[in-house]
Structure formats: structure tokens, C-alpha cells
Amino acid sequence: MTKKQANSIFAALLLIICLFANSMLYAQNKKLHQTISGFVYDSASGQALQDVSIVIMGSYPISTKTNMDGKFILENIPIGRYELRISFTGYESQIIKEVLVGSVHQVYIEVPMYENAITLQEVESKPKTLHAKPINPFTVVGGNTFSPEQASRFAGGMDDPARLVSSNAGVTTSSMSSNGLSIRGNAPSLLQWRLEGVEIPSPNHFSDINGLGGGLLCAVSNNVIGNSDFLIGSFPAEYNNAISGVFDIKMRKGNRKLYHHSFQLGLLGIDVASEGPISKSSNATYIINYRYSTTGLLEKIRKDENIGGKLGYQDLNFNLNFPTKKSGVFSIWGLGLVDNVAPILDQSTNRKYLDDGVLSAAEQKAGATGLSHHYFLKNNKTSLKSTFATTYSSNHIHEDFYDIENHKSPKTDLTYNTTNLIFSSTLQHKFHPNHINKTGVTLTNIHHNIHVDHTPYYGQQLINFAHSNSHTNMISAYSNSKIKISNDFTVVGGFNVQHFILNKNTVAEPRVGVNWDALPGRSISAAYGLHSRIERPDVYFFKNNEEELINRNLAFLKSHQFTVGYNQELTSDLYLKIELYFQLLYDVPIAPIGNYSILNRTDFYTTQSLISKGKGKNLGVDLTLSKSFKKGYYYLLTTSLFDSKYKAADDKWYNTRFNRNYVFNFLVGKEWIFGSNILGVNFKASKLGGQRYSPVDEAATLLHPDKEVQYDENRMFEKQLRSMFIGDLTLSYKMNRGRFSHTFAIKSVNATKQKEFIKHKFNIMTQTIEPYFAANSLFNVSYRIDL
């Protein structure tokens, strides 16, 4: 930890202590209350359920029932955390844990109810904890639901859903400087991001620069995210074009009756959010969030001063919701981000490495916006949801090289733009209380523009390596059914079909899963799926010197995935989950000569000739032991043991870049409530297997004009560095008042300052090749006010 960070923590702690002492008098003399409201619906049809019982459990019993619109209100609830029990005849009872009630924002929850296969009016099923069940009713294994409150509270979450789920079993970030997620040994680029049911480009600031599939922080704000699913392994048939996992993010709807606003100031950025009714008579609502980086703001304010270059980012999220009486619900939603980085040259003449003289400037823009319509038919069994959306990503990277005398020469000039037009429509129908079906189609138009000028060696002129301005289309369709054979046994089956018009490749993907509630509180599940994914446009549209699209006919990258799971509620608050899995990847794009595989790709763009003859395999076991928030504390223990291999053109198996072999995470948090004020302390400790690297080819490196380190291609990722221990921290103090609340927080990723291997470099001062390590970390001190 640096002296500057230590001083910041000390000052923030001192401020919190002073505010804590001052606010105790207020907290002791005034009790505050708030409202819990929500909507209860049938998970199969989406229809509202009337007369559902909602009970607050514990020492503050209070109950109510839903009205004809499926809505409920619980008023005058004191500040604190609660458990809600939701029950209805003929449906599985649910328990929602960890509901946090504050003084300003009304709590709003949406509860899907799952119908029993056999409905006996006098028999009520044992309640199931909702946090253990994904929102998507077709998910059998590999599913987790996350909430924005967890991303804010969990150590290492940093208000970022990607960093939050890196604590899940089977998941780790590819590096501490990135939120890219390596799932069960797969590359982060094989994860799919979805927003409101539509695939979107990576919604991360400075995405893909330090490695495909990741970035600095997620641009989807905690202020607008609702409870969402994170799926890994054998996911349902509606998810296509994904291999390792799916981030299925849902946006909240704004409050229908009251206006709420918040402002947050921190070292990482300024955040402004607002929500409320557009029209109280029509129940139309809005929610919007805007963030601007603190570094970008300082650069604007002190534009005539040298503050070390530019590093700015900003993002916007919004969701407008328009329910109608007869025509269904319309929504307009969107996400946008802008990034800019332009460092200045270090004037030191004591450079250790040649690439110390490389300055990389980048401008990135990305966004997604859509119009969605959700219509419920009068038969109360069928719903139709249609969306028209467009997504956009734009990147411009410019690099210059400065020699020891500060003579400048160009290194890279890259422009990379992709625009997708998407139409999707999904029909969900309940044929019977025991049988629901979801069928849909998606049409995607892909337009891609890339131009890459690069110099092979420092000091030489730029050479064009890639240029293309092309478009194509992809069509996909799926159908998925869930059949309850009995209250204890469920079967899910379906298929997904994708057709890529560029090369006329088609793939049909069967999916099947079963779940057996063997004993009360215990279940066994299994699933199989064939999953596939197309490559990034730069792969297909790469042209050789003869202007030929030599990678045009690459097949879909495919993966057979098998997963077996065991779940048990050890107590009402303690949950155990074990999953064993095996993935067999084939038709993997590889270089026809050498050991390059797309499974190890980290470069922003590629100019390789590829063939679909590679393979890969991942196998392992994931364990989760989770104690939910009760009596003021929680903990989470996750363990992953795995092995990840790939086969290259020489027909030999090698470790993948992401084969760490094991990951252990332990999270623990404690919360103290003093009247209306809440103090939270959260820690995370992680033990990871070392990073993989290939042995250095010293002779080839010394022959290289720029001494760029060359590796032994016959021993790809054979070596492994020492294991890593990483500690994260989150401290928060929230002062609830009648019309507003204050929150002070300290958050740190890699507070232990663990150094991370970046790559090998040639030291021009010692004329030796050495590994280069960096202690990457994130740190934030913030103040937030809610009105």
C-alpha cells in the first residue's frame, strides 16, 4: 500500500469515526421507517398473481397480500435487514433473504413463483430460498443470481458486476488490472454479455486493450441494474453464440410513485442517478445514471497544466418504461460509454526496456439501445416479447515510439468499428401447469470496418496489415420446454439453431437438463449442451496480400458441455453447492503451422491465417458454501479445481494460458446497525494458482532487431509462476435520515499489493531477459448522498 493510499484511508476512517460519534445521538432519538413494495408473477407466463401472501419473518412479523395486479405494499418497516416469505396455494413457497431497508429509497422486488406439478390445497411445500434459484426458470445447473447491493457490499466488487461474480466458484479475473472473466479455464472473450435479452459488446471501460473480454470497470451502473443472472456451463437453449458463460443483465424500472436522486463523489468518478414517475396516471417511469471519471474532470478543470496526460471515461444508462392498459408494456433502454487515454512521455533517460518509449493513445466508444415490447395475451398463459436494438463499438488506437534521444516514429494506427442491428422476438406459453415452452428467433446484421497500420520493427514506416469494410448476417432460432414430471422431478429440453450467412455455416445445438429434489432441501441435477460461437469480425474479414478473405470459411467454434450438480440446504441460512463438469471444444481456429490457438487469444486484433482443426478440453469441480446474511454477518467460501488444455496443429496437447489449476475465495462481512445507521466491514481473501507462461527462446530473442522476447513454441504455457494471494477490502458507513442518507465507503482491490506477472522483457541496461511484474490495484474512497 502506498503512502498516499494509507493517508487517504486514515483520513476517511477519521471522518467516519467523527460522523459515527455525532450521528449516534441522532440515531438514538429518532426511529426511521420505510416501505417494501413489489410484484409477484407466474414464472412461466409472466402473469400477475392475486392474493399471494407476503410475510416478514423474524422478530418483526407483518404481512399483506397482492392485489389483482400482483402488487403488494408493506409499510412502516424499520431500518434493517429482513427475510420475506412468499406463499400461494399451488405454488412453491419462496424465501427472499438479505432485503436491506434504508430511509430514502423504497425497496422494490419482483418475485417469480413456480407452480407445483401436483396442487393440493391443504398441502404447502417447504419454502425454497430464492437466492439459490436463477431468475431464468429453464436453468438447471451453473446458474447464479446477483444483486446490485452485493456488488456494492462484497469486498472486491467495486460496484462492478463482473468483479463481483469473480468470487463465484469456477470464475476468476484474467488479471487484477482487468475485470475480464476466465470461466472454468476458458478465455474471457468466450463470455457473452446481454442487456435486456440482447447480446451487446463488452460494456467495460477501456475494454479489450489489456486482454479480450475485459476492461477496467463495467459501464453498467449499479444504480440501474436489477437482480440478474450469471450463467456458466450448460445453459438453456435460448442462449446462443456463447461458450463459457452468459452475463444476463436486467435493468430496474423506476419508482412509480416517488422521485429518488443520488450523487456520489469518489476517487474513481462522479455518479449522478435519478428515478421516478414520468406520469403517475399511466404508471410510466424512468431511471437514469450518468458517471464521469474524476481524472477526466481534473483534466478539464486544469487544462493548462500538465497532470500526467489524459485518462477519462464517462457512461450513461437509462430505462424508460411505459405500461399500457391494452397494448402491453413498452420500454426504451440504453447504455453508452466513452473512453480516452493519452499518456505523456516519461522524460527519464534511464529506461530499462525499449517499450518504455512506446506511448499508446486510445479513444473508445460503445453503446446499445433498444425498443422492447412485452404483451400478455388474454388467456393468461401466453406472452410475446419483441425487441429492436442496435449496438455499436468504436476503437481508435495510435502508438508512437520514442528512442533514447526522443526521436518519434509511428508504431500503430488502428481503427476498429462494429455496428449490429438486431431484431428478436420470443413467445412464451404455458401449455399446462407442468409444461411451459419458450420459443424465439433473432436476426442480426453485422457491419464491420477495420484498418490496421503497423510497423514490424521500431523506427520503420507503417505497413498496412488489415483493411476491410464489410457486412454479413446471422440468423438464430430456439425452442425450450420445461416439464415437471412431479413436484420432485423436472426435465428441461430444447435446441438452438444458428446460421451464419457469410460462409453459409449452420449449427444445431441440442440442450437437455434434469433436476431431482431427492430429499427435502437436497437436489441432484445434470445437464448437457452443445454450444457454439462465431469469431470476432476481424478474424473473418482479414485479407491477405491478394485481397482474399482467407478466414471466411471458418466453422463455428463448438463445445460439448456436461455438468452434474448437487445442492443442499445445510440449515435455513447455510447452502452447499457442488458441480462437476467436462467441456470438449472442437472446430477451434488454430494456425495451420505452429501452436497458436484462438483459445489463448489476448490481442485486440489478429492477422493470422486460421483453420478450424483445433481442440480443447476443460474439466474440474466447483464448490460453494454460502451463509446468507443473518444476525449481522455472512460468509462465502468457493473452491475451484480444474485443468484446461488445447491441441494445436502439431497434434499435441498443451496447457491453455488460463490454466491456473485452482482458485480459492473466502468472503466474510459483518454489519452493525446503530438505530438508523449501518456500519459494514467486508473482507475477501483469494488464493490462485500461478500464471502460465512459455519458456523464453533466448537465442531467437537476441536475434530480434528490437529484442522482442520470443518464446519456445514447442513448450507452450508449460511453466507456471508461484501462486498468488490477493486481499480485498470494503468498508462503509451509512447514515439514514428522514429525507436523505449519507454513505461513506472505502473500497480496495488487491489491498495486499500482490505483484502480477505481465510478460518477459529485454533489459537494455543489463542486456538480459527478465520477467516483468506489476502490483496492479484499484482503490476508491467515496461519499454518496441519496435524496
Side-chain angles (χ1 to χ4, degrees):
M1 181 180 298
T2 66
K3 184 178 180 180
K4 183 177 179 181
Q5 289 178 334
N7 290 337
S8 298
I9 291 177
F10 176 77
L13 286 173
L14 183 62
L15 178 61
I16 289 176
I17 291 171
C18 294
L19 290 169
F20 171 75
N22 180 63
S23 64
M24 281 298 293
L25 295 175
Y26 181 94
Q28 291 172 356
N29 295 322
K30 189 167 184 177
K31 297 292 185 181
L32 298 175
H33 299 77
Q34 189 49 270
T35 297
I36 300 176
S37 64
F39 172 65
V40 183
Y41 63 96
D42 183 290
S43 65
S45 66
Q47 298 289 343
L49 295 177
Q50 186 178 0
D51 291 328
V52 178
S53 174
I54 294 93
V55 179
I56 293 182
M57 303 173 65
S59 59
Y60 191 79
I62 187 173
S63 64
T64 188
K65 290 190 175 183
T66 57
N67 61 17
M68 62 182 299
D69 297 320
K71 297 173 182 176
F72 69 89
I73 296 178
L74 295 164
E75 298 180 312
N76 298 318
I77 310 301
I79 304 303
R81 286 192 183 271
Y82 298 93
E83 291 184 6
L84 272 63
R85 174 171 171 153
I86 296 90
S87 56
F88 189 49
T89 301
Y91 286 78
E92 297 176 357
S93 297
Q94 309 282 3
I95 291 180
I96 304 177
K97 295 179 178 289
E98 304 183 5
V99 178
L100 178 62
V101 176
S103 64
V104 178
H105 289 274
Q106 287 188 359
V107 178
Y108 179 81
I109 56 178
E110 294 188 353
V111 185
M113 298 292 286
Y114 301 86
E115 195 166 6
N116 283 325
I118 302 174
T119 57
L120 300 175
Q121 293 185 357
E122 281 77 25
V123 177
E124 186 177 349
S125 63
K126 178 184 176 181
K128 296 185 178 181
T129 304
L130 194 59
H131 74 76
K133 184 187 290 289
I135 297 172
N136 188 309
F138 296 90
T139 303
V140 173
V141 293
N144 289 280
T145 299
F146 68 92
S147 70
E149 191 270 334
Q150 290 174 325
S152 176
R153 169 167 47 96
F154 279 17
M158 295 296 289
D159 300 313
D160 182 340
R163 292 186 183 274
L164 167 69
V165 300
S166 67
S167 299
N168 289 6
V171 185
T172 184
T173 52
S174 55
S175 73
M176 287 178 286
S177 61
S178 170
N179 64 1
L181 300 175
S182 174
I183 300 173
R184 293 175 169 173
N186 288 290
S189 58
L190 300 182
L191 167 71
Q192 182 190 102
W193 288 83
R194 290 166 71 96
L195 184 63
E196 291 297 298
V198 173
E199 181 177 1
I200 62 173
S202 174
N204 295 307
H205 289 293
F206 307 105
S207 64
D208 297 335
I209 293 179
N210 288 333
L212 291 186
L216 179 65
L217 287 170
C218 185
V220 185
S221 170
N222 250 11
N223 290 322
V224 302
I225 293 178
N227 287 349
S228 303
D229 281 345
F230 178 67
L231 311 176
I232 62 177
S234 311
F235 26 87
E238 68 182 88
Y239 300 106
N240 68 321
N241 203 36
I243 295 293
S244 66
V246 177
F247 231 125
D248 194 1
I249 296 178
K250 310 295 184 185
M251 282 184 158
R252 288 197 301 114
K253 302 177 180 66
N255 194 289
R256 294 184 297 109
K257 296 182 177 180
L258 300 174
Y259 293 98
H260 293 305
H261 315 288
S262 68
F263 173 80
Q264 179 172 301
L265 173 63
L267 296 181
L268 291 181
I270 297 172
D271 220 294
V272 181
S274 179
E275 65 175 285
I278 296 175
S279 169
K280 293 184 179 181
S281 60
S282 66
N283 289 327
T285 63
Y286 77 92
I287 184 168
I288 187 170
N289 187 93
Y290 175 72
R291 175 169 53 180
Y292 199 99
S293 65
T294 305
T295 52
L297 182 63
L298 287 174
E299 189 270 328
K300 295 288 185 183
I301 295 174
R302 303 171 62 182
K303 58 184 178 180
D304 296 327
E305 300 180 38
N306 179 8
I307 60 172
K310 298 179 181 180
L311 177 65
Y313 59 87
Q314 52 186 312
D315 54 61
L316 175 71
N317 301 245
F318 65 89
N319 188 17
L320 312 178
N321 197 60
F322 303 93
T324 65
K325 292 183 178 180
K326 296 183 178 180
S327 302
V329 180
F330 294 86
S331 61
I332 302 173
W333 50 269
L335 157 74
L337 65 90
V338 177
D339 301 327
N340 186 285
V341 57
I344 62 174
L345 183 67
D346 183 0
Q347 296 300 321
S348 172
T349 57
N350 297 320
R351 295 179 191 162
K352 293 177 63 177
Y353 313 109
L354 276 178
D355 61 6
D356 287 345
V358 176
L359 286 188
S360 300
E363 295 179 358
Q364 293 189 314
K365 297 178 182 178
T369 185
L371 170 65
S372 298
H373 175 236
H374 202 174
Y375 182 74
F376 300 94
L377 276 67
K378 294 181 180 180
N379 61 11
N380 292 328
K381 296 181 179 180
T382 310
S383 66
L384 176 67
K385 184 175 182 180
S386 300
T387 298
F388 178 76
T390 181
T391 67
Y392 174 74
S393 61
S394 170
N395 302 272
H396 181 221
I397 299 174
H398 183 82
E399 294 180 312
D400 289 317
F401 172 69
Y402 292 80
D403 61 20
I404 299 300
E405 286 81 28
N406 284 342
H407 296 142
K408 183 175 76 170
S409 61
K411 183 176 183 291
T412 303
D413 190 19
L414 177 149
T415 299
Y416 190 121
N417 302 324
T418 302
T419 301
N420 291 344
L421 298 176
I422 304 165
F423 172 77
S424 68
S425 187
T426 298
L427 183 72
Q428 185 162 312
H429 180 71
K430 181 193 288 188
F431 289 97
H432 185 271
N434 302 345
H435 179 200
I436 59 174
N437 177 271
K438 193 173 185 181
T439 299
V441 62
T442 300
L443 311 176
T444 305
N445 174 262
I446 304 168
H447 182 264
H448 174 71
N449 183 8
I450 185 171
H451 188 89
V452 180
D453 288 339
H454 183 72
T455 180
Y457 305 113
Y458 293 142
Q460 294 191 2
Q461 295 298 312
L462 293 175
I463 298 174
N464 183 258
F465 276 78
H467 64 95
S468 178
N469 188 348
S470 306
H471 68 90
T472 187
N473 298 279
M474 189 165 78
I475 303 171
S476 64
Y478 72 90
S479 184
N480 208 25
S481 282
K482 178 179 180 180
I483 302 174
K484 298 197 74 170
I485 307 300
S486 68
N487 280 340
D488 300 327
F489 196 83
T490 302
V491 177
V492 176
F495 65 90
N496 191 301
V497 178
Q498 298 185 86
H499 179 69
F500 193 34
I501 292 180
L502 177 71
N503 53 27
K504 297 181 174 56
N505 274 335
T506 302
V507 59
E509 306 169 5
R511 314 279 176 89
V512 63
V514 296
N515 183 79
W516 176 37
D517 294 330
L519 292 170
R522 301 181 185 183
S523 66
I524 299 172
S525 54
Y528 160 76
L530 175 62
H531 304 268
S532 65
R533 183 172 176 85
I534 62 172
E535 299 303 319
R536 287 163 55 96
D538 63 284
V539 173
Y540 294 106
F541 296 127
F542 166 61
K543 295 181 180 179
N544 62 10
N545 294 332
E546 286 73 38
E547 295 291 305
E548 298 173 326
L549 297 178
I550 55 176
N551 295 330
R552 176 190 185 117
N553 293 318
L554 287 174
F556 284 86
L557 191 161
K558 304 180 186 70
S559 173
H560 292 294
Q561 303 199 17
F562 305 84
T563 311
V564 177
Y566 172 77
N567 301 269
Q568 181 176 354
E569 291 185 10
L570 302 176
T571 69
S572 60
D573 305 308
L574 192 61
Y575 180 74
L576 172 68
K577 178 167 70 173
I578 303 173
E579 291 188 350
L580 294 89
Y581 64 87
F582 175 69
Q583 301 176 2
L584 178 63
L585 298 98
Y586 64 103
D587 286 345
V588 177
I590 58 173
I593 300 175
N595 296 317
Y596 176 84
S597 171
I598 211 80
L599 298 180
N600 299 312
R601 179 182 173 184
T602 60
D603 297 332
F604 188 77
Y605 67 94
T606 183
T607 55
Q608 293 241 22
S609 171
L610 300 170
I611 56 175
S612 296
K613 292 187 177 181
K615 292 184 178 180
K617 57 183 178 182
N618 305 313
L619 70 159
V621 58
D622 297 332
L623 180 147
T624 301
L625 182 66
S626 174
K627 186 213 174 285
S628 58
F629 223 128
K630 195 168 186 179
K631 296 182 179 180
Y633 77 99
Y634 72 93
Y635 61 80
L636 174 68
L637 172 67
T638 63
T639 301
S640 302
L641 305 174
F642 62 97
D643 190 42
S644 178
K645 295 288 199 299
Y646 80 98
K647 181 183 283 189
D650 61 2
D651 210 34
K652 295 181 180 179
W653 288 95
Y654 300 91
N655 290 297
T656 67
R657 181 190 300 274
F658 307 99
N659 190 18
R660 289 182 179 268
N661 294 128
Y662 66 88
V663 178
F664 302 103
N665 295 305
F666 179 68
L667 289 83
V668 62
K670 174 65 178 173
E671 206 169 71
W672 293 269
I673 299 179
F674 306 98
S676 299
N677 303 321
I678 303 174
L679 173 65
V681 180
N682 301 268
F683 296 98
K684 175 185 175 183
S686 301
K687 184 79 170 180
L688 294 76
Q691 296 162 279
R692 291 280 177 180
Y693 71 96
S694 305
V696 172
D697 187 335
E698 186 172 343
T701 301
L702 295 176
L703 290 174
H704 193 279
D706 295 331
K707 302 299 185 289
E708 181 180 310
V709 176
Q710 307 296 303
Y711 293 97
D712 186 349
E713 290 193 355
N714 295 317
R715 302 169 63 190
M716 295 296 291
F717 305 110
E718 177 184 291
K719 297 290 186 179
Q720 189 171 19
L721 294 167
R722 65 183 182 276
S723 61
M724 302 172 65
F725 175 80
I726 303 170
D728 302 330
L729 167 71
T730 292
L731 303 175
S732 65
Y733 184 62
K734 184 172 184 176
M735 298 184 298
N736 289 290
R737 298 295 179 262
R739 295 184 178 179
F740 56 89
S741 66
H742 307 280
T743 303
F744 298 85
I746 300 171
K747 301 180 180 182
S748 178
V749 171
N750 192 23
T752 50
K753 304 300 291 183
Q754 170 73 61
K755 288 188 176 182
E756 183 176 43
F757 172 70
I758 306 301
K759 62 180 179 180
H760 286 88
K761 292 188 177 185
F762 182 81
N763 190 320
I764 58 178
M765 299 179 68
T766 64
Q767 297 291 297
T768 59
I769 302 169
E770 58 189 34
Y772 177 73
F773 293 84
N776 296 312
S777 61
L778 274 178
F779 178 75
N780 193 26
V781 177
S782 64
Y783 163 74
R784 175 184 174 115
I785 182 171
D786 290 277
L787 303 170

